[in-house]
Amino acid sequence: MSNQPRIPDPETRARHIAKLKAFCERMDRNIADLDALSALLEAEYQKSPLAGLHRRTAERIAARQKELSC
């Protein structure tokens, strides 16, 4: 018994590498889909009345902080 790890044969390595590449490609496509969805949702949010409310609230808080720091 040796503590050396067993190195798989070239066919097994090639099969595993192909599976990993396919997995990475699927993940890249999924990430691109999520990025597109995120951009779509952000655009919809920016058009919504809620975005205006959040923007005005943030502006009021920033103005209040500026007054307090002066």
Side-chain angles (χ1 to χ4, degrees):
M1 292 220 163
S2 107
N3 290 336
Q4 296 291 332
R6 191 178 72 79
I7 298 174
D9 60 285
E11 295 86 21
T12 303
R13 281 186 285 171
R15 205 169 44 246
H16 285 217
I17 289 169
K19 285 181 183 179
L20 283 171
K21 283 182 179 179
F23 175 76
C24 289
E25 289 170 2
R26 276 195 328 268
M27 290 297 103
D28 287 344
R29 283 192 303 272
N30 289 343
I31 290 168
D33 289 344
L34 288 172
D35 286 344
L37 177 61
S38 178
L40 177 67
L41 291 172
E42 179 65 25
E44 289 294 318
Y45 169 73
Q46 291 302 326
K47 290 190 276 185
S48 75
L50 190 58
L53 174 66
H54 289 160
R55 195 175 311 107
R56 287 188 302 276
T57 302
E59 289 169 355
R60 277 196 307 269
I61 291 171
R64 199 174 316 138
Q65 290 293 331
K66 188 176 180 182
E67 288 174 1
L68 292 175
S69 66
C70 290

